Amino acid sequence: MIENSASFQASVDFARGIFGEGFIPLHRPVFEGNEKQYLIDCIDSNFVSSVGARVTEFEQKIAAFTGAKYAIATVNGTAALHAALQLAGVSRGDEVITQALTFIATCNALSYTGAHAVFVDVDRDTLGMSADALRRFLESKVERRGGQAFNKATGRRIAACAPMHTFGLPCRIEEIVALCDDYGIPVIEDAAESLGSYVGGRHTGTFGRLATLSFNGNKVITTGGGGMIITDDEELAIRAKHLTTTAKIPHPYEFVHDMTGYNYRMPNLNAALGCAQMEELPKFLAIKAEVARRYAEFCEAQGIALAQARAGTVSNYWLNAIVLDSLKQRDAFLEYTNGRGVMTRPIWRLMTRLDMYKDCEHDGLENSRWLEDRVVNLPSSVPDGAMGKA
């Protein structure tokens, strides 16, 4: 148990032993491969926007790595999720079941569709949506009509379920998908943080009807800004590319658009960066697993609870997270570490505590509230010099 400044200092010293002196960020990008060369090649080709060979190559690399049949690159993860929700049939006035313990992009994306968020609780071990909480909600609050699910209280159609794999820790996605299938609710996995995470050897994001990834500057790999929709459904993949390319009907020179689309396609410059990063991904994941192992040893010695992948799953350990004993202890730890140049941060504020989503239906969120008061993220970058040793 962390109780005093001496044990706080031990945590600071341990982080410096991994990441070195000076300011230690939470997660930084690493560019030690072909990133510069691929960017130069892209500039020399004059194809720097959303039309270019690197976009297609990056999509193919992501599809091959995750095992998804199709991948469609977007400008960021939020755009990917917005498009995926629309592709799944989410419309204005519908409801989407998700978790309140999430980054705001999850809820913002569903709000763009005009849908209403409904929040169910998370599990304390995965930090992701609880299948048990989802089951309780469906059995008590939902009725089936014509092969679709409707909220008994509001009368609204429940058009989708969007669980998230928090910090790369796989949630109980197989159980969630099975429950939703029984109620005719499509699952869109928010896998923004879980590139390189697996459930029983199957990559996260390949269980639902659609899934989305993020390549923001702080993710395991980065394209600066970028996202991806992945799916095994060919028709959805074709529609995804069309929707995110301003819904333009292909033609050598005519400008004909057959629906309201979005300018969401990833530029070739970003994709060039992504192609180089994918070449380094196996090294990144191996090093991050070693960092997580060292954290596990330290936390066990200190009596600190560390969030770890449950049995039968593999985490990419994008961000390591500890669970402290109280809100007071959490705040003291955050102040101490950040004041000494070691960046730590609390988990996100619950969506129900933000003005935009405070009136959304929820199930009490007991675990979510408990975790909000206790979870702290630790520095989790690939350490300087580690790539040469991997």
Side-chain angles (χ1 to χ4, degrees), residues 22-37:
F23 174 74
I24 299 176
L26 201 64
H27 201 285
R28 67 174 182 84
V30 175
F31 304 116
E32 296 185 13
N34 290 312
E35 290 87 358
K36 290 182 180 179
Q37 186 57 55

Side-chain angles (χ1 to χ4, degrees), residues 247-314:
K248 183 180 183 296
I249 297 174
H251 191 279
Y253 52 84
E254 291 285 359
F255 289 89
V256 178
H257 306 258
D258 61 358
M259 61 185 295
T260 299
Y262 302 94
N263 189 17
Y264 279 176
R265 287 287 281 165
M266 178 182 285
N268 205 38
L269 276 172
N270 299 80
L273 195 61
C275 289
Q277 290 270 287
M278 284 298 293
E279 295 172 354
E280 306 299 314
L281 179 57
K283 288 184 179 180
F284 291 163
L285 293 172
I287 293 167
K288 290 175 70 61
E290 174 60 18
V291 169
R293 185 194 66 78
R294 293 178 65 181
Y295 268 130
E297 289 182 350
F298 173 79
C299 288
E300 183 176 7
Q302 295 288 322
I304 306 169
L306 178 73
Q308 299 186 70
R310 60 190 172 88
T313 70
V314 175

Side-chain angles (χ1 to χ4, degrees), residues 29 31 58 73-80 213-219 221-228 264-274 277:
F31 304 116
F58 186 43
T74 63
V75 291
N76 54 55
T78 308
L213 303 170
S214 171
F215 310 111
N216 190 34
N218 65 351
K219 294 300 190 293
I221 68 165
T222 184
T223 56
M228 193 78 72
Y264 279 176
R265 287 287 281 165
M266 178 182 285
N268 205 38
L269 276 172
N270 299 80
L273 195 61
Q277 290 270 287

Side-chain angles (χ1 to χ4, degrees), residues 196-267:
S197 297
Y198 297 84
V199 178
R202 185 173 170 184
H203 199 283
T204 52
T206 62
F207 293 85
R209 191 177 183 195
L210 297 136
T212 58
L213 303 170
S214 171
F215 310 111
N216 190 34
N218 65 351
K219 294 300 190 293
V220 175
I221 68 165
T222 184
T223 56
M228 193 78 72
I229 301 167
I230 59 175
T231 184
D232 285 343
D233 188 312
E234 182 180 14
E235 181 184 352
L236 285 177
I238 292 170
R239 288 172 52 203
K241 187 172 182 180
H242 185 63
L243 180 67
T244 58
T245 317
T246 66
K248 183 180 183 296
I249 297 174
H251 191 279
Y253 52 84
E254 291 285 359
F255 289 89
V256 178
H257 306 258
D258 61 358
M259 61 185 295
T260 299
Y262 302 94
N263 189 17
Y264 279 176
R265 287 287 281 165
M266 178 182 285

Side-chain angles (χ1 to χ4, degrees), residues 126-208:
T126 70
L127 314 182
M129 183 180 288
S130 167
D132 289 338
L134 176 62
R135 181 183 293 104
R136 288 192 295 269
F137 177 80
L138 292 173
E139 291 177 351
S140 63
K141 303 288 187 179
V142 176
E143 62 181 2
R144 302 177 181 90
R145 282 190 267 135
Q148 295 185 312
F150 292 83
N151 188 317
K152 293 179 183 177
T154 65
R156 298 178 183 131
R157 183 175 73 107
I158 299 176
C161 178
M164 185 179 72
H165 301 288
T166 306
F167 305 142
L169 297 168
C171 67
R172 290 178 169 80
I173 189 63
E174 292 171 302
E175 297 173 50
I176 290 168
V177 170
L179 285 166
C180 288
D181 283 349
D182 191 39
Y183 280 80
I185 301 171
V187 173
I188 298 106
E189 291 177 71
D190 186 342
E193 302 171 356
S194 65
L195 181 65
S197 297
Y198 297 84
V199 178
R202 185 173 170 184
H203 199 283
T204 52
T206 62
F207 293 85

Side-chain angles (χ1 to χ4, degrees), residues 8 12 328-342 344-346 376:
F8 288 175
V12 170
K328 181 179 178 181
Q329 187 183 77
R330 185 204 76 168
D331 289 347
F333 183 79
L334 288 167
E335 182 177 357
Y336 190 93
T337 51
N338 282 284
R340 284 155 182 79
V342 176
T344 58
R345 76 172 190 197
V376 172

Side-chain angles (χ1 to χ4, degrees), residues 352-370:
T352 50
R353 296 212 299 123
L354 302 179
D355 285 345
M356 304 85 73
Y357 306 112
K358 65 182 180 182
D359 296 324
C360 293
E361 182 178 358
H362 62 80
D363 63 358
L365 307 173
E366 179 182 355
N367 290 337
S368 302
R369 296 178 190 279
W370 188 89

